[in-house]
Structure formats: C-alpha cells, structure tokens
Amino acid sequence: MVPTTPSPTHLEDELVDEFLWLEDIHGERPKEWVQEQNQRTETLLDGPELASMTERVLGVMDNPSRIAAVTKHGPHYYNFWRDAQHPRGLWRRTTWESWLSDSPDWDVLLDVDELARTENVDWVFSGARLLRPRYTDGQWQRALVRLSPDGGDAVRTREFDLGTQEFVAGGFDVPTAKSSVSWVDADTLFVATDTGPGSMTESSYPRQVRRVSRGQSITDAPVIFEVPVDHAQAAVYKDHTPGFERVVAMDLVEFFTVRTYLWSEEQWVELDLDPTVSVDLHNQWLLIRPRHTLELNGIEYPAGCLLAADVQAFLNGDRSVQSVFTPDKHSSLEGWSWARDHLILNTLHDVSSALYSTVPGEWELTALPGIPPLHSASAWAVDDEDAKVGNDYFFSVTGFLTPSSLGRGSLPDLSGPDADGAADSTARKASEPAALKRAPSFFDAQGLEVTQHFAVSADGTRVPYFQAGPCELELDGLNPTLLSGYGGFEVSRTPGYSGATGITWLTREDQRGRTGVCVIANIRGGGEYGPSWHTAALKQNRHRAYEDFAAVAKDLHRRGVCTARNLACAGGSNGGLLVGNMLTTYPDLFGAISCGVPLLDMRRYTKLSAGASWIAEYGDPEQPEQWEYIRTFSPYHLLSPVMCYPPALIWTATSDDRVGPVQARKMAAKMLDQGHQNVWFHEATDGGHAGASDNRQAAALHARSHEFMWQMLENPKGR
C-alpha cells in the first residue's frame, strides 16, 4: 500500500519545517522540551510495576552465570564483562583451562568504572585492537583501547600496555572522534580521524588515512589514502599474516559499494571487481560474494554465491574462480570464518541455521553437526594461526526458548604431523562439538513453543515469521502479541534467547490470565534469503518491506492470534523507520507502537548525523525524482491531524551520533502539535545509538518500552 500524497514540483515548495529548532541537539530550548516530555512519559509509566520489572530485567543482565564469551589472542582468552559491581565493565583475560572451570581466574586488564572515577569521564568501552607480536618473541604486549565518553560512535583511542596493565605514558592517543585506527607495527599506526576541515566525509566519517609514527603529531603525519568528500569513508589496514603481509585500503563509496586497493610497488592497485561485490583476502585466497549477478570469464554467477580465486593470479588478470557456495530459493550465506585447513560457512535455510566446513581448493561442503531446527547457530575459528588449535572452532546455539550455549569443536588437521589419515571425506568430518558453557534459564518455558509461519505480501511474496507463545494458544484474537522486525541493510532477524523478553512479555499475564506472544517478521530488506531479499526493498521499492510487515500483522489477525487492539509492534533504528511507517500508513493494524532511535524525517535524514551514508538504502532526497518516492515512506511527512493513530512511544538518546535524537524529537513534537495526545517521548542523555551505556540503563529502556506497549494493549480505554 503506497500512500497517496500530493507531490511538490520543486523541493523548495515543501512546507516550512516548524520543528527545525529541535535539531539544536544541546540547545537550551530543545533541552527544556526534552525534559518536559521525559517527565510526562515517566509520569505515565513509572511506578511499582515498572520498577519491579526493571529490577528483574537487570537481574538477567547482571546474572553472574551468564556465558563469558571469549576471543583468543596468543595464549590468553579475552572477555569484556559487566555486572552489578562493575556497571561500566571489566576488560579481562584468562587461560583456556581456567575458562573451562566454574570459577575462572580472571586477570583484569582494565576496570572501566575505576577509570571513569579517576578521570571523571563516563567512559564506555568500545573494544580493543591488539598488536600482533613479532613471531620471534611471540609476546602480546600492546593494544589500542577504544573508549567513548557517552556511548556514541565517536571514541578516543589510547595505547595500552598489557604487561603493566596501564595506558602508555606519552603513547599513541587519538582524540575523541569517529575514527579508524590500526597497527602497522609497534611504532606506527594507520589513523583515519577528524583532523580539521576537509578530513571528514559528508557522512561524518574520515575521508583521509594517515601513517602516524610514534611521537609524531597526527596532523603532521602524511596522508597515504583519501577518498572524495561525497563518499562514505576511507580505511586502511595491514594484514600481518606471516608470509602474506599486505596493506589494504578501502574506499567505501556508499554503504554497499567498496573499492578495494592493495599497496604494490609503491602505489595503490585497485582490485578489478564490481565494487558492489564483497571481498575477503586470506592467505593466498580471494573470496568473492556478489550482491548481483556477476559475470567472470563469460560465466554468470548468482547473487549471494561465494567464489574463490588465487589472489596473485587474479591480480595478474586471471579471472578463473571456483564455486564455494551457491544459494537456492530457500538458502543464503550469512558469513564465514577461516580455520587453518578449512573454511567454515554459516548459512540459513528458511531462516534456520545450517553450518558447513569445506577444504580450500576442493570446496566440497560437509555439514557441521548439532543444530536443532528453528534455532540460530554460528561457528567461527578459534585461532587459525595457532598450530595447536588452528582447526578448532567455537560453536554457539540459541533459540527463543533455548538459552545460549557455547561449545568447541575440531576439524581434521590436513597439514602438519597430524595430517595422516585425513585424506578421505569421512575422516574430514568435524567432531561433535561439546557444549562447554550454558546460560541459565531466566523464565519458565514449560508450556511454550516456537512455530514458523508464512504470510503472503501484497505482491504475492511468501514472508516467513517466527512465533513464540503458549502451546495451547487460544485462537480467539485476545492474545497480547508483540511483533518486531527490521527489514534493512541485509540484516537477518533469527531466533535468539532473551531472558528479558521472557520476563516482560512471554510469561507476563494480562487481566484475563493470558501470557504474551512474541513474533519476529523476516521481511524483505533483510538478509534472510540473501542479497536479492535485501535489494527487493531498496529505494523506490521500500514499500515492499512495509507491505511484508503489514502482511504478517494481517496474518496474525487472520489466524486468530490477535486483533489490532491486542497487537503491538516495536523496532529500532531502521526498524524505527519501519514501525514509524506502520504508525502513519497502517495505523488500523496495531494497538501500540514502540519506536526507538528512529529515522523518521526522510527529507533531512542525509543532513543529520551519519545519514548521508545510507543513500544507497533509501535514496537521495536532494534529487527531486528520488524525493518523489522517498516522501511516501517518510513518517514525518505522512502525519495528518485528521488521522487516528495508535498510542506510540518514541524514544532516543541525546548522544546518538549515528541516527541522532532530532528525528524522534521532531516526530513527537509534530504529533503533539497536531493534537495527537497519545504519543509519548523519552530521551536518555547518553548510551549512543544503543540507547544505554550500562546494564541498568539497558534494563530500564527494555522495561519502559514493554511496559508502555503492555499498558496500551491492556487498557485501550485509557489511551
């Protein structure tokens, strides 16, 4: 359903935006408005029920029995951990033997809470990049630690000594900005950051990369790679793999278009491929995943397949490739990981996981065992360069009613002293992975079940969706139901355990004693069926994603799961744009809407925060012919004072420097100005695009959103 709205002949004919003043993020008048709206929303929702629910959700997030997932670097296994005593978190490490125990002996490298107190900055840990050691000494000594002052994407990057467990005095220190920083060697970095006028793209990301030596000012360092200001971002990194060292540069032209360059003979040499193709360089291999049909050597390969070529041969002009994975109408490739002698593939079959291993050069797929139906599973190499564990892989499984488990399996050694006997295919099968850690159950799943269904969209496309709820569900339309989705950027929504949602929806009882039903819609725009599922809903075809979501809502009505009065929907970011369109275009299908950190003003989204980097997804509103279709899915412009909208909670964060808080502000302000009193707004001060910087904030955000929707469904007369 495409809304019919009058189209302006020229962009300048658009009505004046009366709420531009709310785009002054830190202005006094907007801050006062935010405070007033926060108080109004808190008056509605705050009380004993919300407080109790928040504490229960926080108990899930802080539970000490959660799995401490780890990544291996050298002899240690690293983890970042938050709990009640350490709300901002601990960056720590241990040995494998210790991790296997019930009480691992953790070596705490950085206490972020203590750092925040010492430096009087509310630091949020944003990851670390370790310096690969020289293989003569094998010691992992340095790291680049990324810290955000408010939970946003802008971070400060500081050099950290893993031995002394302190920041290096006088060491590398890149000031807070949207940056990309990586090691060249112990005394040199590649730095892409804000160095003043001309250094950033229109998308608010770095357009220049500098090679910075120890002790050298960033602004004095030479620019080694740069991209045009209207491209999205520039980045350079060094591949340190012994025997395959190389420097790679990437020009992110737009979100799904990347030109890749290799440094060769003192110049950048572009990898001669369609820039919409995803590439991966590993040892001697070049992996190619096209987003569209790709022709090489006169042969056409389908979108979403995976091809392999020899890197050097490809650079020399040889376009011979081998097929690694070919999708069909039910399957897609989600990702891959390199073990020492194998490539591990993570795929979906009708949105349920299927995992495979294959031997490079042979490419025959062998299924990895241990995956139950209607679950999500993933496998990834532990450390392909460690001779002892090079073919080991981590294995994770989760489901709507199944707490996550983490295990470890092993693929056969095909090189080295243990390779004997691994020549035939039976000897190349993976060992059954052992589940080494299991997360606790946070709600009683007895009497609940997960099912998969298919709705039919407006153009006849079958759209899958998962439903979690009571086994003996009464199909009388009275079940409180929560529908969520995303539908963008080739992101797949797959089954996963949420103890918080189990508490706040699946096992919560309404006044009739009914517990909730949770539904995830796998709409177009996502990656559930590969890149073609994504591209089917780009730009002028954006409405297909919204038609798919509406089709799922209608199918829930048709099947008797719920009626509009009992159906809520929720989404964040691009999912916020999704539910914003449900609010304005399909208001009769829903009884409540939670819209988080959303895009909503599609006329100005390219001028706000990182919006210009998403033109490939939505289109460019500065082009009149593109604005003609963009305005039909711009919720801010579709609002009408004469329409009747379901109750909506629009929430955001002041520190969100990706989407920004202003679109949410303007949407709520315009609705209130039009007389729609059933819209509520809430804005956290920090937390960035996630809306939360620690577990307590995350618990409060989750509980507030679910409490709002539950209240609106349960008390329709009180809206």
Side-chain angles (χ1 to χ4, degrees):
M1 170 179 166
V2 178
T4 56
T5 55
S7 300
T9 304
H10 303 288
L11 291 181
E12 56 265 30
D13 291 336
E14 284 293 298
L15 294 175
V16 174
D17 188 343
E18 299 179 49
F19 302 100
L20 280 176
W21 60 274
L22 284 166
E23 292 187 9
D24 182 6
I25 294 178
H26 301 289
E28 287 303 316
R29 184 183 173 200
K31 284 170 61 177
E32 291 175 2
W33 182 88
V34 167
Q35 290 170 359
E36 290 173 2
Q37 297 306 316
N38 281 359
Q39 184 175 4
R40 175 173 175 262
T41 300
E42 290 163 8
T43 299
L44 171 74
L45 297 177
D46 286 8
E49 182 70 24
L50 180 60
S52 173
M53 189 183 304
T54 300
E55 290 303 316
R56 292 180 66 196
V57 173
L58 182 60
V60 171
M61 296 180 176
D62 280 345
N63 189 288
S65 298
R66 300 178 345 259
I67 296 174
V70 290
T71 56
K72 181 180 179 297
H73 298 284
H76 292 103
Y77 290 77
Y78 291 74
N79 164 263
F80 182 71
W81 181 263
R82 286 178 175 148
D83 58 24
Q85 290 72 43
H86 309 94
R88 296 203 169 265
L90 302 172
W91 185 41
R92 57 190 190 172
R93 66 185 182 183
T94 189
T95 64
W96 180 248
E97 292 74 18
S98 181
W99 184 85
L100 286 173
S101 70
D102 293 334
S103 299
D105 182 16
W106 292 102
D107 177 19
V108 176
L109 300 169
L110 180 65
D111 184 329
V112 183
D113 295 271
E114 181 60 30
L115 179 70
R117 285 189 291 268
T118 301
E119 299 187 347
N120 197 30
V121 178
D122 290 332
W123 292 119
V124 177
F125 187 78
S126 297
R129 186 186 295 268
L130 276 65
L131 171 65
R132 295 276 293 272
R134 298 189 307 273
Y135 280 80
T136 53
D137 55 35
Q139 297 299 309
W140 295 74
Q141 293 291 351
R142 295 292 172 93
L144 296 170
V145 172
R146 295 163 53 86
L147 296 162
S148 168
D150 56 13
D153 290 348
V155 297
R156 181 180 174 187
T157 304
R158 302 161 70 176
E159 186 178 8
F160 188 84
D161 190 311
L162 296 171
T164 64
Q165 300 183 5
E166 295 178 342
F167 289 106
V168 178
F172 290 115
D173 191 342
V174 180
T176 300
K178 291 185 178 180
S179 304
S180 171
V181 184
S182 61
W183 293 102
V184 180
D185 55 43
D187 295 308
T188 318
L189 301 180
F190 288 135
V191 178
T193 192
D194 188 349
T195 55
S199 64
M200 305 294 279
T201 67
E202 293 172 354
S203 299
S204 76
Y205 294 104
R207 62 174 291 262
Q208 297 177 331
V209 183
R210 298 171 184 263
R211 184 184 176 103
V212 182
S213 299
R214 185 172 296 281
Q216 185 179 33
S217 167
I218 296 174
T219 54
D220 291 338
V223 174
I224 62 166
F225 184 73
E226 62 182 329
V227 303
V229 69
D230 61 346
H231 287 197
Q233 186 176 2
V236 176
Y237 70 92
K238 182 177 180 180
D239 182 347
H240 294 85
T241 306
F244 298 96
E245 293 89 349
R246 54 191 157 220
V247 176
V248 183
M250 293 175 291
D251 172 7
L252 182 60
V253 181
E254 52 187 20
F255 205 88
F256 295 101
T257 303
V258 182
R259 297 190 182 278
T260 304
Y261 299 81
L262 299 180
W263 185 253
S264 177
E265 298 180 354
E266 303 303 310
Q267 64 179 339
W268 292 112
V269 176
E270 184 175 0
L271 200 59
D272 184 21
L273 271 170
D274 182 328
T276 65
V277 167
S278 298
V279 300
D280 177 30
L281 296 161
H282 179 81
N283 295 351
Q284 74 269 35
W285 295 107
L286 168 65
L287 292 186
I288 301 168
R289 181 179 183 262
R291 288 179 47 75
H292 310 281
T293 300
L294 178 68
E295 183 177 330
L296 292 171
N297 278 352
I299 302 174
E300 288 191 345
Y301 298 95
C305 70
L306 189 65
L307 309 172
D310 180 271
V311 174
Q312 195 56 53
F314 194 91
L315 291 173
N316 292 338
D318 184 353
R319 294 298 176 264
S320 300
V321 295
Q322 296 173 290
S323 181
V324 180
F325 173 84
T326 302
D328 58 32
K329 65 180 182 180
H330 294 283
S331 64
S332 65
L333 177 64
E334 283 283 281
W336 58 84
S337 177
W338 289 95
R340 187 182 68 187
D341 300 323
H342 303 262
L343 179 66
I344 301 169
L345 302 183
N346 290 253
T347 77
L348 294 178
H349 185 86
D350 283 332
V351 205
S352 289
S353 292
L355 309 180
Y356 301 93
S357 67
T358 185
V359 177
E362 300 178 10
W363 310 119
E364 180 181 349
L365 298 184
T366 301
L368 297 184
I371 308 170
L374 303 186
H375 280 66
S376 296
S378 57
W380 63 100
V382 173
D383 184 348
D384 68 297
E385 293 179 14
D386 185 327
K388 295 181 179 179
V389 302
N391 287 309
D392 284 6
Y393 64 94
F394 286 123
F395 180 84
S396 176
V397 178
T398 184
F400 290 111
L401 308 179
T402 307
S404 299
S405 63
L406 180 62
R408 185 163 172 167
S410 184
L411 295 161
D413 288 330
L414 303 181
S415 59
D418 299 324
D420 291 344
D424 61 273
S425 59
T426 57
R428 295 186 179 185
K429 291 184 178 179
S431 64
E432 184 82 28
L436 304 174
K437 302 278 185 176
R438 294 185 185 275
S441 298
F442 291 106
F443 61 91
D444 185 2
Q446 187 173 357
L448 301 179
E449 67 174 353
V450 177
T451 54
Q452 187 180 40
H453 306 269
F454 289 83
V456 179
S457 194
D459 65 355
T461 300
R462 295 177 76 242
V463 180
Y465 65 93
F466 291 101
Q467 175 182 309
C471 297
E472 302 296 331
L473 185 68
E474 294 187 51
L475 298 177
D476 56 5
L478 298 179
N479 301 290
T481 304
L482 173 56
L483 172 61
S484 65
Y486 189 75
F489 298 94
E490 204 177 334
V491 173
S492 303
R493 291 292 308 273
T494 55
Y497 188 82
S498 170
T501 298
I503 290 171
T504 58
W505 205 273
L506 276 176
T507 58
R508 185 176 181 177
E509 292 187 354
D510 67 6
Q511 295 170 343
R512 300 179 300 271
R514 299 283 185 93
T515 54
V517 176
C518 286
V519 178
I520 288 181
N522 302 116
I523 62 178
R524 281 174 287 185
E528 288 87 347
Y529 290 104
S532 60
W533 195 248
H534 170 235
T535 57
L538 289 182
K539 295 185 176 180
Q540 66 268 28
N541 294 320
R542 197 76 202 167
H543 291 287
R544 289 176 178 168
Y546 310 142
E547 289 166 357
D548 289 358
F549 198 77
V552 173
K554 293 174 183 177
D555 202 56
L556 292 169
H557 298 172
R558 179 191 63 80
R559 293 177 45 235
V561 176
C562 59
T563 62
R565 201 187 90 174
N566 305 108
L567 178 60
C569 69
S573 192
N574 173 76
L577 176 61
L578 165 68
V579 299
N581 274 277
M582 294 302 107
L583 176 72
T584 53
T585 309
Y586 300 94
D588 56 322
L589 297 181
F590 301 95
I593 292 176
S594 176
C595 179
V597 289
L599 289 95
L600 294 167
D601 179 357
M602 300 306 289
R603 174 66 183 89
R604 288 183 53 77
Y605 87 94
T606 58
K607 301 179 184 299
L608 302 171
S609 300
S613 63
W614 308 320
I615 288 175
E617 186 81 10
Y618 306 118
D620 185 356
E622 294 300 304
Q623 304 299 318
E625 69 280 4
Q626 295 187 45
W627 174 240
E628 287 296 314
Y629 65 75
I630 295 172
R631 71 193 317 274
T632 65
F633 60 83
S634 178
Y636 187 64
H637 296 88
L638 296 176
L639 286 171
S640 168
V642 300
M643 287 292 292
C644 182
Y645 298 121
L649 172 65
I650 302 174
W651 53 270
T652 186
T654 309
S655 60
D656 182 359
D657 53 3
R658 193 177 308 172
V659 169
V662 300
Q663 300 193 56
R665 291 177 180 181
K666 290 167 61 180
M667 183 76 170
K670 187 173 182 179
M671 290 186 71
L672 290 168
D673 184 68
Q674 289 182 347
H676 305 293
Q677 294 303 307
N678 60 344
V679 61
W680 284 265
F681 175 89
H682 199 274
E683 181 173 318
T685 55
D686 59 5
H689 193 52
S693 295
D694 57 36
N695 287 350
R696 179 164 289 280
Q697 290 179 357
L701 175 61
H702 176 96
R704 184 182 299 114
S705 173
H706 281 213
E707 174 66 12
F708 172 82
M709 291 184 288
W710 194 272
Q711 274 195 29
M712 294 302 112
L713 297 188
E714 194 164 45
N715 301 298
K717 293 181 180 180
R719 298 175 186 176

